[in-house]
Amino acid sequence: MLGWTAFVATLTVATVAARSLTGSTVIAGFPLAAGALGQALGTNLLGRLSARRGRRFIMLLGPPVSALGATVELVGVVFGRYWLLVGGAVLVGGGIGAIHLTRYAAAELAEEHRRGRAVGILVWSGTIGSLVGANLADGMGRVTEDWLGTPYGGAFLLAVIAFLLCWLLFLTALRPDPSRVAVTARQATTAAGSAAPALRLPAVQLSILALLSAQGAMVLVMTATPLRIEDAGYGLDRVGLVLSVHALGMFAFAPLVGRLVDRIGHLSSLGIGAVVTWTSLVLSGTAPDESTWLLGAGLFLLGLGWSFSFVAGSSMLFASSPPQVRQVVEGWADSAIWTMVMLGSLSAGVLMGAIGYALLNLVAAGPALVILLVVLSTPRLRAALSR
């Protein structure tokens, strides 16, 4: 929750701060893309370090790196240095990878029949952190504007404080290392090796594909939706309403989704996620300009489909990865996810201008269809996962 509070506080103001510093809308999104690049690089590196040094090590390493990045961003907005804003975002993203990887620590500490619920609770915690970060950013900016000389500095100062509190919490309370007391610790008796053989396992490939599919569809549509609403003649109030409904679908039901994953299994849950995602893209892609309620319904279901795919995919990746390379595989998977976020953020505007919002939804629906076909047509995989 502390990590998400800090991270979302920086995201809330990064784009508008960048435009204020440069006067350009074209490069205003670069800090967000830089943050996604940092997460792609950071989760890969942190996954490898976790396999060698344990989960506690990376959780103590990540937040200070992000706090340093937020400090660099703070200096950038105070002194009008745009590239410090971009560079700091890379560091924030690199360190936040440790927060993202906590869901696998939760899976490691949970009994097998409760693993989905454990992952769901960690995903749900993002709701509170996101709401706190987004709503405190403006208040902190007002409080600190006089002595920082900018309305954007407060959000980055909030992020520095929250990241350091997160680090302090891990330092004092995360004892012993989760890897040493994990339910699965008795299985991981061999030294970590190459992740390449594990990445060729069908179940591992399917879980990573499901995670990428959900993240890609969400980023493409969510990034383009504000433009779609604005083109229809509505203001930021309507944009905020639709995106809030989307966030509700993403996070609010994650613990219940986790329980359902434990009850019906990974493959069935991935199938539900694909169907819900397809339904959402049909609704949002065909919604008339004047019908923001139908667009909002589509975005809510897009968030709910993401929740099914993300919780089931994360739990399935943990269960299907060999214990000795599990943390390396987790790092590779999250690195791929955040690379997808970066590419989706950069390409959404291009696709919106080239083919329009309706066809953009059709593009986003392609991977979900692949997931559904795989789930329905692989009895051997289903049998392997049931053993």
Side-chain angles (χ1 to χ4, degrees):
M1 289 165 57
L2 285 167
W4 273 101
T5 296
F7 185 45
V8 171
T10 67
L11 294 182
T12 301
V13 301
T15 303
V16 291
R19 185 168 62 179
S20 175
L21 292 177
T22 64
S24 171
T25 302
V26 175
I27 62 174
F30 280 19
L32 298 185
L37 174 63
Q39 290 175 82
L41 296 174
T43 48
N44 192 339
L45 174 62
L46 290 170
R48 293 174 177 274
L49 288 174
S50 179
R52 296 175 183 175
R53 304 290 298 273
R55 295 194 186 274
R56 186 173 186 271
F57 177 81
I58 67 165
M59 292 182 193
L60 291 177
L61 176 64
V65 172
S66 292
L68 175 61
T71 303
V72 172
E73 290 184 296
L74 176 60
V75 173
V77 297
V78 170
F79 292 99
R81 300 293 185 266
Y82 168 75
W83 289 109
L84 287 180
L85 187 62
V86 176
V90 175
L91 291 174
V92 169
I96 202 69
I99 306 299
H100 295 312
L101 291 171
T102 57
R103 69 186 191 278
Y104 295 115
E108 192 171 55
L109 290 167
E111 297 287 349
E112 182 176 357
H113 65 282
R114 295 184 177 179
R115 190 173 293 147
R117 183 175 64 174
V119 174
I121 291 173
L122 263 290
V123 173
W124 171 84
S125 70
T127 310
I128 300 176
S130 297
L131 291 174
V132 171
N135 287 283
L136 283 184
D138 181 63
M140 282 290 290
R142 294 177 186 274
V143 170
T144 61
E145 183 175 4
D146 288 341
W147 58 278
L148 289 178
T150 172
Y152 307 122
F156 298 111
L157 181 60
L158 170 65
V160 173
I161 296 170
F163 278 131
L164 291 179
L165 287 175
C166 181
W167 170 79
L168 183 63
L169 183 62
F170 283 145
L171 178 67
T172 57
L174 192 64
R175 297 174 182 275
D177 189 316
S179 302
R180 297 187 178 184
V181 294
V183 172
T184 56
R186 62 185 180 274
Q187 301 171 4
T189 56
T190 58
S194 171
L199 292 172
R200 290 194 289 267
L201 295 173
V204 170
Q205 292 176 345
L206 177 58
S207 58
I208 293 177
L209 178 60
L211 292 169
L212 291 177
S213 169
Q215 200 76 22
M218 185 193 67
V219 170
L220 269 180
V221 176
M222 189 180 68
T223 304
T225 295
L227 302 176
R228 153 72 170 75
I229 296 173
E230 189 176 70
D231 290 345
Y234 297 101
L236 289 178
D237 57 336
R238 199 64 60 91
V239 172
L241 177 62
V242 171
L243 293 187
S244 295
V245 170
H246 171 66
L248 182 68
M250 285 178 64
F251 295 121
F253 303 99
L256 296 178
V257 170
R259 286 175 177 267
L260 188 60
V261 170
D262 290 333
R263 183 178 295 273
I264 68 176
H266 300 128
L267 288 179
S268 297
S269 300
L270 290 180
I272 292 174
V275 170
V276 173
T277 298
W278 250 89
T279 304
S280 75
L281 296 172
V282 170
L283 287 176
S284 57
T286 59
D289 287 350
E290 67 276 8
S291 182
T292 53
W293 71 267
L294 188 59
L295 182 65
L299 268 290
F300 171 80
L301 290 177
L302 180 65
L304 186 60
W306 175 89
S307 185
F308 269 98
S309 299
F310 200 74
V311 172
S314 298
S315 180
M316 180 177 174
L317 180 68
F318 178 90
S320 57
S321 300
Q324 63 270 25
V325 294
R326 179 175 286 143
Q327 290 158 327
V328 179
V329 172
E330 292 163 359
W332 272 108
D334 273 31
S335 179
I337 288 171
W338 291 105
T339 300
M340 177 67 75
V341 171
M342 180 182 64
L343 295 176
S345 300
L346 294 174
S347 61
V350 177
L351 288 173
M352 181 73 171
I355 63 177
Y357 187 75
L359 289 179
L360 180 144
N361 278 263
L362 183 61
V363 171
L369 177 60
V370 172
I371 292 294
L372 187 58
L373 292 176
V374 170
V375 170
L376 294 175
S377 63
T378 52
R380 187 175 62 178
L381 178 59
R382 185 183 294 274
L385 288 174
S386 66
R387 289 198 295 266

